[in-house]
Amino acid sequence: MLKRLSPKKFLVAVVATVGVLFTVTVLLLGLSPPKKKFLPYDAELFSKIEGSSFEGFNNVTGTPDGSNIVPNYVHFIFFENSYITYVTAVCVLAAFKNQKPEKIFFHTNVKEFTGPHWVKIRDTLGPVLEIKHIEMPRTIYGQKLREDWVPWHAGDVMRIRVLMQYGGIFLDNDSYVVRNLDVFRKYEMTIGITDGDYLGTQVLIAHKDARFLKLWLECYRDYNPDSWYYNAGEKPMREILAYRPELVHTVKTLLGVHGLTVRLYNWDSWRNWRLYYSIHLVIRLRKHAETWWHYMLWPSIDETNICQYEKPFGEMAREIYSDFC
């Protein structure tokens, strides 16, 4: 004799059954999300860097005499947003203090920056700061960039173009320079690796003629608007560096482009942050790293509360920009 189910258990059973039927239907109809496909070795692609002045260069040891070939320039890109946040100011000022660059370039499509932190940056950097007004690209090789991701995908493209024009050090607006990066300026190009073994785009150090830059830009001929990081970080690793790792100097952890948010915003203490050369703060994902109750107390971190913020990022920020404490 069948046992009668309670209304609650009956509902659970119905939902589970519907879920199974939906999954089976999707699989039968071939509606499951397509897996990302990466191309095999492309001889035509790699022929584009034949005859490069860096042909045969050793990116394991760098220049034979240890001399620097990457200019001591730092580049930031600002699209659409004129207001400089406190966290961005911390990162710009950290680059100025710890890298001591000849120039810090702001590449931007905004007419004029605003806010008290912009004034702090302008007055502190003085002639080291140079503003370069540029257009924000909306297409790449005739393909429209995804509309709701344009500022970010445009930034991915422009960081390659900026480095191809000037060379130097590109930093995301939330990348914090912990100590001088000159040790990497003797290489053709230096990249960090993310947790997923993809290219970390947040800290890049390159000569303007670096071979990888040219090939990386070519990856955008097959632009995927449905993936946040496909062209920026996945495709170049799987289709270029998987076959030609010697094109770059690879840093597994010390450029800090892998996941460090829990240590920054959840741990009570993290002394080893000073061992890194740079750290990507990933400030927009802080809420996923902190406990919910702590995030409720600190929904934002800025000049109004940085003096009291007790997690490791607070120490890092105050060391650079503590005018309010």
Side-chain angles (χ1 to χ4, degrees), residues 55-124:
E55 196 165 303
F57 186 84
N58 190 329
N59 276 305
V60 175
T61 58
T63 53
D65 60 357
S67 60
N68 292 329
I69 56 174
V70 173
N72 195 14
Y73 300 155
V74 171
H75 304 276
F76 293 93
I77 292 175
F78 296 89
F79 282 145
E80 302 295 86
N81 195 352
S82 64
Y83 184 81
I84 302 294
T85 67
Y86 172 74
V87 173
T88 294
V90 165
C91 291
V92 173
L93 295 170
F96 178 70
K97 175 184 177 181
N98 295 330
Q99 181 57 32
K100 297 179 174 56
E102 294 175 33
K103 285 286 184 182
I104 291 182
F105 293 97
F106 280 15
H107 304 272
T108 182
N109 69 338
V110 303
K111 291 184 178 180
E112 188 175 348
F113 291 105
T114 60
H117 308 306
W118 159 243
V119 174
K120 172 70 174 180
I121 289 171
R122 183 196 65 195
D123 293 349
T124 302

Side-chain angles (χ1 to χ4, degrees), residues 25-37:
T25 302
V26 164
L27 292 174
L28 290 175
L29 295 178
L31 299 177
S32 57
K35 291 184 178 180
K36 294 172 185 173
K37 295 181 179 179

Side-chain angles (χ1 to χ4, degrees), residues 256-268:
V257 298
H258 57 295
L260 295 171
T261 51
V262 171
R263 304 180 198 191
L264 290 166
Y265 310 114
N266 191 296
W267 287 11
D268 292 326

Side-chain angles (χ1 to χ4, degrees), residues 102-163:
E102 294 175 33
K103 285 286 184 182
I104 291 182
F105 293 97
F106 280 15
H107 304 272
T108 182
N109 69 338
V110 303
K111 291 184 178 180
E112 188 175 348
F113 291 105
T114 60
H117 308 306
W118 159 243
V119 174
K120 172 70 174 180
I121 289 171
R122 183 196 65 195
D123 293 349
T124 302
L125 271 58
V128 170
L129 178 64
E130 192 164 327
I131 309 297
K132 294 290 185 180
H133 291 283
I134 58 174
E135 293 294 322
M136 182 177 70
R138 294 186 175 273
T139 63
I140 181 68
Y141 294 122
Q143 306 158 99
K144 287 186 177 181
L145 298 180
R146 177 167 167 162
E147 189 63 33
D148 52 335
W149 289 349
V150 165
W152 296 277
H153 280 190
D156 290 336
V157 171
M158 283 307 303
R159 70 192 64 194
I160 303 173
R161 290 177 173 169
V162 162
L163 288 174

